[in-house]
């Protein structure tokens, strides 16, 4: 079991950091308001104000912000501003020895998957895959907000995770699974294969989600994980949401950008690439690029059973 950081308390100072893509000033203000809404004091790191192409500041600045937020004893948590692109560029620049000695609540998803995997595996503490403050917590649905608060403000494990109404979990391959939960965004996991930061799925439950990827790209990413032994090694698989991952209509894409006259559905791809490994697998966990969404404690032990369709953390 990885170490669970100290839960947040009302009045705690928390850093707003921007490891990935930038946001306009109006969205930064929304994010600051979100932190205030939770009863926390925002500390805005310098890269939140920066723009470097599609990055929120140069690599060294973004990495320094993360390092300084972990090193500052007055800061009790770190909320990532948004996803996008760029977190993987920070991986060689982070002070993992220092971060390991200062575990803190760390929240984000999508591109932030790269940092979750590194902090779980290299620093030994639980991190949180959940909604980021740019989405405005004050206007967030009660399901998402309750799940977020339960994970960040409580020392107790979340227990049973229940999907929003009318969104049942689905069994892909029957069985029971137990293990530490790892994973996140499928494309980001694919991108670190072969590096010192690739995901280790040995005896773990692998969680996957993605957004905006056409079916053949999902096939490519899932096949890469399969070839790398990630499905072979895991104890079970949780499939989250795959938002806007359908093939677009023919008149919605430029000419000559289709690789075939027809496509495989996401379900077909899962059946052909994931299911043959025979690992207990559930799908439709409402986590990822979707609302409402649950917050997931990455690195925490969990279990699920496809017979009762229950998923429990802790």
């Amino acid at each position: 079991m990885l170490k669970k950081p100290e839960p947040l308390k009302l009045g705690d100072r928390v850093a707003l950091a921007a490891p990935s893509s930038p946001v306009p000033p109006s969205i930064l203000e929304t994010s600051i308001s979100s932190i205030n809404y939770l009863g926390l004091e925002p500390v805005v790191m310098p890269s939140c104000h920066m723009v470097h192409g599609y990055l929120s500041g140069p690599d060294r600045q973004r990495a320094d912000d993360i390092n300084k937020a972990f090193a500052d004893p007055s800061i009790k948590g770190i909320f990532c501003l948004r996803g996008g692109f760029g977190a993987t560029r920070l991986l060689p620049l982070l002070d993992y020895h220092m971060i390991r000695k200062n575990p803190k609540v760390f929240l984000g998803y999508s591109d932030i998957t790269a940092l979750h995997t590194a902090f779980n595996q290299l620093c030994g503490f639980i991190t949180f895959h959940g909604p980021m403050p740019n989405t405005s917590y004050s206007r967030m649905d009660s399901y998402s907000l309750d799940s977020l608060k339960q994970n960040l403000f409580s020392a107790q494990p979340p227990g049973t995770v229940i999907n929003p109404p009318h969104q049942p979990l689905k069994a892909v391959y029957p069985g029971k699974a137990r293990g530490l939960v790892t994973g996140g965004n499928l494309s980001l996991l694919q991108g670190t294969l072969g590096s010192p930061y690739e995901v280790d799925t040995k005896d773990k439950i692998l969680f996957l989600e993605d957004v905006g990827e056409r079916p053949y790209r999902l096939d490519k990413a899932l096949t890469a994980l399969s070839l790398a032994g990630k499905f072979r090694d895991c104890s079970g698989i949780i499939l989250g949401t795959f938002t806007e991952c359908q093939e677009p209509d023919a008149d919605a894409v430029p000419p000559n950008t289709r690789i075939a006259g027809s496509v495989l559905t996401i379900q077909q791809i899962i059946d052909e690439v994931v299911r043959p490994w025979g690992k207990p697998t559930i799908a439709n966990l409402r986590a990822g690029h979707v609302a409402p969404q649950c917050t997931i404690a990455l690195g925490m032990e969990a279990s699920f059973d496809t017979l009762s369709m229950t998923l429990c953390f802790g």
Side-chain angles (χ1 to χ4, degrees), residues 8-53:
L8 297 176
K9 303 186 300 295
L10 294 180
D12 277 349
R13 300 176 80 236
V14 298
L16 267 177
S20 302
S21 294
V23 298
S26 61
I27 299 300
L28 177 56
E29 288 303 313
T30 295
S31 301
I32 293 170
S33 297
S34 288
I35 301 300
N36 288 325
Y37 182 76
L38 293 182
L40 303 169
E41 179 184 343
V43 179
V44 181
M45 306 306 285
S47 60
C48 292
H49 298 285
M50 296 181 179
V51 178
H52 177 60

Side-chain angles (χ1 to χ4, degrees), residues 211-218 242-266 269:
V211 62
E213 296 288 356
R214 290 166 70 172
Y216 74 90
R217 292 183 63 87
L218 293 179
F242 290 83
T243 305
E244 298 176 3
C245 288
Q246 295 74 27
E247 187 74 12
D249 294 335
D251 58 0
V253 297
N256 302 318
T257 60
R258 289 184 179 273
I259 61 174
S262 62
V263 299
L264 296 175
T265 65
I266 296 174
I269 295 167

Side-chain angles (χ1 to χ4, degrees), residues 79-278:
F79 286 64
C80 294
L81 194 60
R82 62 158 294 183
F85 177 80
T88 51
R89 291 173 62 161
L90 307 188
L91 294 175
L93 305 176
L94 297 174
D95 186 346
Y96 296 109
H97 178 71
M98 178 275 296
I99 293 172
R100 171 179 278 275
K101 295 191 295 184
N102 297 280
K104 298 179 182 183
V105 164
F106 181 84
L107 175 79
Y109 73 105
S110 193
D111 194 59
I112 310 304
T113 293
L115 301 180
H116 285 306
T117 304
F119 295 153
N120 292 164
Q121 295 180 183
L122 301 180
C123 302
F125 64 89
I126 291 166
T127 58
F128 299 95
H129 179 287
M132 291 175 279
N134 65 322
T135 55
S136 183
Y137 292 155
S138 64
R139 295 195 293 270
M140 185 178 291
D141 63 275
S142 59
Y143 174 91
S144 302
L145 188 61
D146 288 348
S147 179
L148 179 70
K149 289 181 175 180
Q150 181 187 37
N151 277 273
L152 303 191
F153 287 88
S154 174
Q156 301 301 314
T160 301
V161 175
I162 300 174
N163 259 0
H166 313 300
Q167 291 289 345
L169 293 173
K170 300 175 182 178
V172 175
Y173 195 92
K176 300 178 181 179
R178 175 175 289 276
L180 303 186
V181 177
T182 191
N185 184 264
L186 172 60
S187 299
L188 266 293
L189 296 173
Q190 177 194 15
T192 55
L193 292 177
S195 78
Y197 312 100
E198 74 172 70
V199 65
D200 175 11
T201 64
K202 183 66 174 177
D203 299 325
K204 298 176 183 177
I205 294 175
L206 177 59
F207 162 67
L208 300 172
E209 64 84 34
D210 218 320
V211 62
E213 296 288 356
R214 290 166 70 172
Y216 74 90
R217 292 183 63 87
L218 293 179
D219 190 330
K220 180 181 178 182
L222 288 169
T223 299
L225 293 190
S226 179
L227 293 172
K230 302 308 176 182
F231 300 134
R232 176 198 66 208
D233 293 346
C234 72
S235 64
I237 301 164
I238 298 174
L239 300 174
T241 56
F242 290 83
T243 305
E244 298 176 3
C245 288
Q246 295 74 27
E247 187 74 12
D249 294 335
D251 58 0
V253 297
N256 302 318
T257 60
R258 289 184 179 273
I259 61 174
S262 62
V263 299
L264 296 175
T265 65
I266 296 174
Q267 187 60 57
Q268 285 176 306
I269 295 167
I270 291 168
D271 286 344
E272 294 175 10
V273 179
V274 179
R275 199 173 189 278
W277 286 102

Side-chain angles (χ1 to χ4, degrees), residues 294-306:
C294 64
T295 296
I296 294 177
L298 293 172
M300 183 176 287
E301 187 169 31
S303 61
F304 69 81
D305 183 350
T306 61

